[in-house]
Amino acid sequence: MRKPIIAGNWKMNNTMADTKALLTDLIPLVADANAECVVCVPYTNIYAAGELIKGTNIKLGAENVHWADKGAFTGEISAEMLLELGVEYVIIGHSERRQFFGETDETVNKRTLTSLAKGLKPIVCVGESLEERQSGAYTAILEAQTEKALVGVDKTDLCNVVIAYEPIWAIGTGVTATNQEANDTIAIIRNKVASLYCRDCADNVLRIQYGGSMNPKNVADLMAMPEIDGGLIGGASLKAEDFSKVVKY
Ligand code: PGA
């Protein structure tokens, strides 16, 4: 069925020294975890992180990837570069990238297609603003984000896709969606995928995480909801003890 997946999103945090200290502490704390445990780290730390977690149950992730194989794209990183360092997962279309770096549904789709073609597992982020939540527009917006991200994705690849539902108003704010809100909104996304592909793949294969101020205190209740298959964790992934508690909810 759908194995829970807890992924840390370090964002632009942690120097090399921080990375070594955090992962050294984290490795033993999550060694007996039942959920799949992933750390998505800044590019500069990927090599060191990969060396540290070799032979452990922690998987390596990046925070973005370009869609082209190679070429004149100053500042960008290709799938091949990530794969060479042992990266398995890559976050795509985080709301911070959409908000501050011009990421669009179209570029999210391109990055998703390239990831899958090359053998990286995309963690595709969707989410609505507070205004969109309050106006009720969020359903249509999340359905559109989901559909546009998945254009051209083959049904057989859905097992390699993770969707992260992250309400923008809950990211880094300390405000979490209620368990019911998170669950019901993820159901909307899952139903959209069912209508695009099939009920069976949406229900049995596709994993959908919740993200937005998930922490050791609220994780158990969120994870008890039937639609929620894991979490994308920002702030609480920066401390080994907190993150391990989330991973072992
Ligand atoms: P947060 O971030 O856990 O700090 O709210 C989540 C995210 O942005 O992925």
Side-chain angles (χ1 to χ4, degrees):
M1 281 287 285
R2 304 181 330 234
K3 183 173 180 166
I5 172 167
I6 307 284
N9 173 13
W10 288 8
K11 311 192 180 186
M12 196 174 74
N13 293 295
N14 290 335
T15 62
M16 188 79 84
D18 298 333
T19 297
K20 287 180 181 162
L22 174 49
L23 289 177
T24 304
D25 288 346
L26 183 66
I27 289 165
L29 293 175
V30 297
D32 59 346
N34 293 319
E36 201 173 340
C37 173
V38 183
V39 287
C40 299
V41 310
Y43 292 135
T44 48
N45 298 337
I46 289 176
Y47 178 76
E51 290 296 303
L52 283 159
I53 63 179
K54 241 178 216 157
T56 75
N57 60 332
I58 303 175
K59 293 177 175 169
L60 193 56
E63 298 178 17
N64 200 4
V65 63
H66 197 263
W67 54 85
D69 282 354
K70 58 162 81 174
F73 301 103
T74 303
E76 292 292 322
I77 298 283
S78 73
E80 192 188 346
M81 293 168 181
L82 298 177
L83 287 162
E84 189 181 32
L85 300 185
V87 170
E88 194 171 327
Y89 286 92
V90 59
I91 298 171
I92 292 175
H94 190 279
S95 59
E96 287 149 16
R97 301 240 32 114
R98 293 179 190 254
Q99 192 179 347
F100 304 128
F101 301 100
E103 194 78 60
T104 63
D105 289 331
E106 195 198 356
T107 56
V108 167
N109 177 242
K110 285 176 161 185
R111 294 181 207 277
T112 302
L113 290 174
T114 293
S115 298
L116 291 168
K118 300 287 180 185
L120 288 167
K121 295 174 184 159
I123 298 175
V124 180
C125 301
V126 298
E128 82 284 2
S129 67
L130 185 58
E131 200 186 342
E132 290 161 349
R133 164 64 54 174
Q134 287 169 342
S135 72
Y138 67 96
T139 299
I141 282 163
L142 292 168
E143 286 178 345
Q145 285 179 0
T146 303
E147 179 164 10
K148 288 176 183 168
L150 296 177
V151 170
V153 171
D154 195 81
K155 185 165 120 176
T156 56
D157 259 334
L158 281 183
C159 58
N160 296 317
V161 174
V162 176
I163 294 179
Y165 165 58
E166 298 205 307
I168 297 167
W169 45 273
I171 295 176
T173 57
V175 181
T176 325
T178 65
N179 304 328
Q180 200 63 51
E181 264 172 344
N183 186 76
D184 295 353
T185 312
I186 287 177
I188 291 169
I189 296 166
R190 200 180 298 286
N191 287 337
K192 183 68 194 175
V193 174
S195 78
L196 294 169
Y197 293 88
C198 67
R199 188 74 252 174
D200 194 47
C201 5
D203 285 346
N204 295 321
V205 173
L206 179 75
R207 294 183 292 177
I208 309 182
Q209 299 171 311
Y210 168 77
S213 300
M214 203 191 243
N215 59 45
K217 288 205 178 89
N218 58 27
V219 62
D221 289 340
L222 284 161
M223 290 303 293
M225 304 305 287
E227 293 288 348
I228 303 180
D229 301 324
L232 185 56
I233 319 299
S237 73
L238 299 176
K239 289 198 181 123
E241 202 170 314
D242 284 354
F243 188 56
S244 71
K245 284 181 185 158
V246 175
V247 173
K248 300 205 296 182
Y249 61 90

